[in-house]
Amino acid sequence: MDANVEGPSDRRESDTAQAGNARWRSLFAFTAKSHIVPLSLALVLSLASGIVTPVLSYLLGKVFDAFTTFGGGKYTGPELIQEVSKWCIGVTALGAASGILHTGYFGFWLVFGELQAKCARDMLFVGMLEKDMEWYDLRKDGTEALIQRLQTQIRELQMATSQPLGFAVQSTVTALSALGLAMYTAWDLTLVTIATIPFAAIVLGLISAKMQPSIDAQADELSAASKLANNALQAIDTIKCFNGQDFETWQYAKVIKRAAKKYLLQAQANALQIGFVRFITLSMFVQGFWYGSHLVISGKKDPGQILTAFWSCLMALQAMEQILPQMIVLEKGRAAGATLEAILTQMGKRRRVIMTGNLAPQFCEGDIEVRNQVSFRYPSRPDQPALHRSSFFFPAGETTFVIGKSGSGKSTLGNLLMRFYEPATGEISIDGNALQTLDIPWLRNNVTLVQQQSVLFNETIFKNIAFGRRDWDSVRREEVKQSIETAYLQHTISDLAQGLDTVVGSGGNAMSGGQRQRVAIARARLRDTPILILDEATSALDHISKASVMEAVREWRRGKTTIVITHDLSQIEDDEYAYILDKGVVVQEGYRYALQKGSDGPLGAPRRPSVTFPINKHLPKLAEERRKSSVATTTSTSRDSTISTASADSMDIQYRPRPQSVYMPGIFGTTAERAQTARGSRFEPLPSQAAAGAFTMHRMSGMPGMFVRPPDRAIPAVVDHDSVSDWPLPSPKMRNLSLINELHGSKADISRPRDDSHMETMSKRWSQNIPMRRLKQQADPLVASRRGSDRSARTGHPAPIKKILLTVWPTLGWKNRCLLILGFVCAAVHAAATPVFSWVFSKLLSTFFLPTNRSQQALKWSLSVLGVGGGDAIATYFLHYLLETCGQAWVDSLRAEAIKRIIDQPRAWFDKDKNGIPKLTECLDRNAEEMRNLLGRFAGFMFVVAVMLVTALTWSLIICWKLTLVGLATAPYIYAVTKSYQAVSGKWEGRSNDAGTAASSIFTETFSNVRTVRALTLEAYLHGKYLKSTAKALNVGLRRSAYSSIFYGVSDSGIVFATALIFYYGAKVAASREFSTQDIITVFSMLLFTISSANAIIAFIPQINSSCATATRLLRLANLPHKESHEHSGHIRIPALGTIVFSDVDFTYPSRPHGPVLSGLNLALPTHTSIALVGSSGSGKSTIASLILGLFPPTSGRLTFDGIPISALHMASLRSLIAVVPQTPQIFAASVASNIAYALPERSPLASRQAIEQAAEVAGIHAFINSLPGGYQTLIGEGGTGLSGGQLQRIAIARAIARQPKLLILDEATSALDGENAKGVRDLVRRLAREGVGVLMVTHDKEMMMACAEVVVLKDGMVMERGAFDHLMHSPGSELRRLLS
């Protein structure tokens, strides 16, 4: 079909361009009035909970004052206990209040985040539903990549506006209230202490400003990576058949490396912020304590006031410091909010002013008139007209045909009639009413468009058919019976175990192309609108099915307006009217019998050489005559000199035949040329003597059972490695592709794989450098992790963080391992700095009750703190930056390993629901981004706390073991509460992620198939379905908020209770005078700092659980079995295919276990001639091609190549001898040249410009490619230049030809081609056969069968007959004759 043909790249619109100046208000871009209450409650409770810390600071100041007084001899032991007990009761009460407040604040912020996410989802869904097709066409990276990025950005916004934003608000309140308390207690000391804060704020603001551009740049790169992954997964068959696995992995790794560089800029800025604040926080002791000591000496303040003020200042700075680790999350959320807001704004601003119309006539007769010379250019390619000054008339109650070459504008007509686009000039009317004045829902409920690529939704067959009616939910099974009969679906449905209740899968992938088309026709039959447009709607059906369906359609559509867009001229009857299009211009029109009398055009007599379609100047008159119901005849006139009608993509085969006497070189060159060009190819052909039978097998030394060619004849191919159970993540091959060692900071250059021999050499070199024993040892935790992550994925629970982090070390290269060690060394230094600081701090505290020399001692210990602060700041910077660097390398390695293993999975794996493309791309994109936090943010922090705990507890035990043991006695309670909180949070985090993924799947399905959605007016249904899914996600999120917040509050209050207990018992120990007051204060300081740090982990638990949940999903993919499927069972490389023999082969698709496709198939296929596989839809034709290509293994029986079982053959080398052109060609988001030379080694002669152009010429697409703005460098595919179905098929043919295969498989490769181009393919088949290249043609087309030397007729998965076409057609009782009758 004719698709949008894109134009200059500057017309493309970036979806992140307007988000560059993101502001903090963007976090609230989706805040509705209904969100005010939970937001207000969250803010109020944040304010209240933020005051808890300053109040605790005040109470601790009173406690320290009591100990200071006791140390000065002014309190007795009982008085100390009484005083401390009083304040400890206050601390306990504060703990209870803190638990309640933190429960509320935490819960309401989670609720607010869920509401923001739901609002964003709903607004984007509605906004995208309202956008015209132009908006979709102009997406820079294509619709698929945009959809995936939107889901990721919604998640980033949700994460930022939940706990991190609440934590930031609470910490800000804590800081302000702590400073207020400090000012109240000792304003002069407070001003001296915080004198450096304004300078620090300016520095932090400047650093933060540098982060935003890198966030936007990273989002662009991740969008490109998501686009690549999505394209690869959609084209998995093509990738496997053309051995493109390594190329796709390399390409994906290259993009994520660029994204990693952008993220590391953010990480560096954030690490600089944290280190700087750490230094400022600790260095304030220099001026603060010196000045505080002066105030005490002068008698202006007592030690308790000084401690309260200074402790409050410290808490204020610590509160601000605790915000910094959340800054990346908040910055990403801010950028995501700005981007989403920009997209919504763009939707509103870019809406063209068009007449929406509200006219809804009571009846629709079906008269369609396209008049006043309608012209149209697709908005994405304004330089090429799709329709040019064309007029049509489709009278009510008649069937009219529209035919023409690929790209001539046929499908454009259907797009305009459905009002997907508006014509630039001219007018379209129905029953005399201009299209612009009609209500669009009325129009689409009276016009049905059935397209070639029939889109089905992930529902049952019954529901997919029922979607034809607006009241689909009230359709009864009896009502679809007639529809099923019209589409001849009875047999198909009866063969399915669940019948009409069979779920067709995403995009209908559980059904064949012909079955999908018949379901679409059944849907149209149930819809039964006055106007029907069939756009190549039966192209995938066999001759009998096509004829039967068309006959049923004619019977059904008698007296109703029907437009049939087709290449199949046999469908047109003598008394049916036809328009012939060429380059968007109507060049001929008339009834078939009249057109046949002419000498020009596809319906005319045999054409003269060099004659092209003439433009008939009498067409307006003919149209007018038709309106008057008179039969028009066509006249041939001279062509209009102002309009060129020669098709740029014409193969010029049919109309300008070559004289037979002219020498015709071989398609793959002469024998000598082929031998020469093949030497640099990916799979070199063996010398002729080997092909003649001199091929011998040599057993590799030390590798029993593996056979290879002699060294001088070896075919470079993918190197086999052991299974995942014997190798660590990543495999050696991945390292050679620069995905592990070379991804981050290595001197090795990431360059396109030059050829397989180069990769094999590099792989061997790597294997020699790494001791096998070490690899085996590293594999053990990884294999355990794989089992654990698989089990976790099955049960829906996240894998434990320990198992996840065990995959880090074997994943990293030696350089990143060194950085990881250095990062944890810095973490140890940072951890040690806290107890060292506590000790120095206690020395400072002790100066307040020194009888003499206070100022000198205060200065001494203040300077000591400055030294500790400087060292700690440097260690903190490197701790965060190095671990973020290693975390990025880790997830990127897993991403690369995951994409490699995903692509390596057997074809049946992709048919499972859990392995749907949206889920896989989400896992590679968003899940990987969240997973990085486990190492980059949390692992280092937990290590610091662990080291800090061990150091502080050891030190405390030495100084005052009794008080330390009492503190340790609270550990079981705190551990139990924290563990319960983690378990509950993790459980609901997983459920929330699943609910969000379900909503994302509906979003993706809707807008990936937006044309079909609009054509069937399913907007309301899918909107309702989406609202239900987002409501469910919200409901799960609200329950998650409730449960998680309760345990969060209990965990937080437990720390405060433990603090009260420690102070109370400390007073009893001090009163007993068993330990000195200074020792007790030292233990207090170390335990409080340690408890405070440990308490901070609790705040991170939801984010840790979220990261564990996403990490579990990515690890499942990164630990998928590698090279363990049937595709890697063999090692024999053969020089030629020989005869392909099926012996008693049975086959059933794993996704349809109750429907056998092949039953006891016995078939021999010589590969030096042309053979046509013929049969009705579902007879097993395409399945045979899939088995030959090794996409599926036979269920039973034996498939051999030259006597060797396919299971013993090296699959990559086998596929190198075969090229396939599928019915639905897959095009990659790359240039035309890259698509033709797909996966060929860069240095191969087959990938040269000359070879590419030669292949394009043979495929008849060279002239069209040169007409594109960028020629062979024009970008096509998702986000690039759109092409018609026929143009795509010819590029796919060129791709196959470029490989110089031994066997060419054409699976309905002419279904989208016009007669002229189809003739070119038939000529190609004959030429290949003459050159000894085998052709296996899966076809329904009679002329294609005639072009083949032999025809094999299949029925119910068995061979019914075979022989020459003429022989079978004249045989009595011939099945072929029955099929074609």
Side-chain angles (χ1 to χ4, degrees), residues 156-364:
E156 288 175 349
L157 177 66
Q158 178 184 357
M159 287 188 66
T161 53
S162 52
Q163 189 221 351
L165 182 57
F167 192 75
V169 171
Q170 184 202 33
S171 297
T172 302
V173 172
T174 298
L176 293 176
S177 54
L179 286 175
L181 177 61
M183 293 289 288
Y184 174 77
T185 306
W187 65 268
D188 45 357
L189 174 61
T190 303
L191 291 177
V192 171
T193 303
I194 65 173
T196 55
I197 287 184
F199 168 73
I202 293 172
V203 173
L204 292 175
L206 291 174
I207 296 174
S208 181
K210 297 293 184 182
M211 293 174 65
Q212 195 62 45
S214 60
I215 290 175
D216 293 339
Q218 185 204 13
D220 288 339
E221 296 295 351
L222 288 176
S223 181
S226 178
K227 177 179 173 181
L228 286 174
N230 190 71
N231 286 170
L233 297 175
Q234 285 183 332
I236 189 63
D237 287 356
T238 302
I239 289 172
K240 287 179 176 291
C241 293
F242 288 94
N243 293 323
Q245 295 94 326
D246 293 335
F247 176 75
E248 290 298 327
T249 306
W250 162 79
Q251 194 172 220
Y252 182 77
K254 185 175 66 171
V255 177
I256 60 175
K257 181 187 178 183
R258 294 201 302 263
K261 288 181 178 178
K262 304 301 181 184
Y263 178 77
L264 292 180
L265 293 175
Q266 305 166 40
Q268 188 177 36
N270 190 239
L272 191 60
Q273 286 179 322
I274 295 173
F276 179 73
V277 169
R278 187 71 177 171
F279 177 75
I280 292 295
T281 302
L282 299 183
S283 65
M284 73 179 189
F285 286 88
V286 175
Q287 68 264 25
F289 263 96
W290 179 85
Y291 187 68
S293 178
H294 167 73
L295 292 177
V296 171
I297 292 173
S298 63
K300 295 180 180 179
K301 300 291 181 184
D302 60 57
Q305 290 175 311
I306 298 299
L307 285 174
T308 299
F310 200 81
W311 192 271
S312 297
C313 289
L314 176 63
M315 286 191 170
L317 266 294
Q318 282 185 328
M320 297 308 295
E321 184 182 13
Q322 288 174 358
I323 295 177
L324 294 177
Q326 307 283 359
M327 281 306 296
I328 286 185
V329 179
L330 293 172
E331 290 281 3
K332 281 183 172 290
R334 177 171 70 152
T339 299
L340 296 173
E341 187 179 21
I343 290 174
L344 282 174
T345 302
Q346 185 188 77
M347 288 178 185
K349 287 183 177 179
R350 291 211 74 265
R351 187 169 298 151
R352 292 186 295 125
V353 179
I354 59 175
M355 293 178 62
T356 55
N358 56 10
L359 182 63
Q362 186 175 0
F363 301 104
C364 177

Side-chain angles (χ1 to χ4, degrees), residues 1165 1169-1175 1181 1335-1339 1341 1344-1354 1361-1363 1365:
L1165 299 172
T1169 186
S1170 55
I1171 300 175
L1173 289 180
V1174 179
K1181 304 182 300 296
V1335 178
L1336 184 63
M1337 173 75 72
V1338 176
T1339 184
D1341 185 74
M1344 293 305 299
M1345 299 176 200
M1346 296 171 64
C1348 296
E1350 194 175 13
V1351 176
V1352 176
V1353 183
L1354 299 172
E1361 60 188 18
R1362 68 182 296 173
F1365 178 83

Side-chain angles (χ1 to χ4, degrees), residues 926-941:
R926 176 176 70 81
N927 291 0
E929 288 296 293
E930 292 188 31
M931 179 182 181
R932 179 188 54 232
N933 294 332
L934 289 177
L935 181 59
R937 292 176 57 201
F938 306 134
F941 186 59

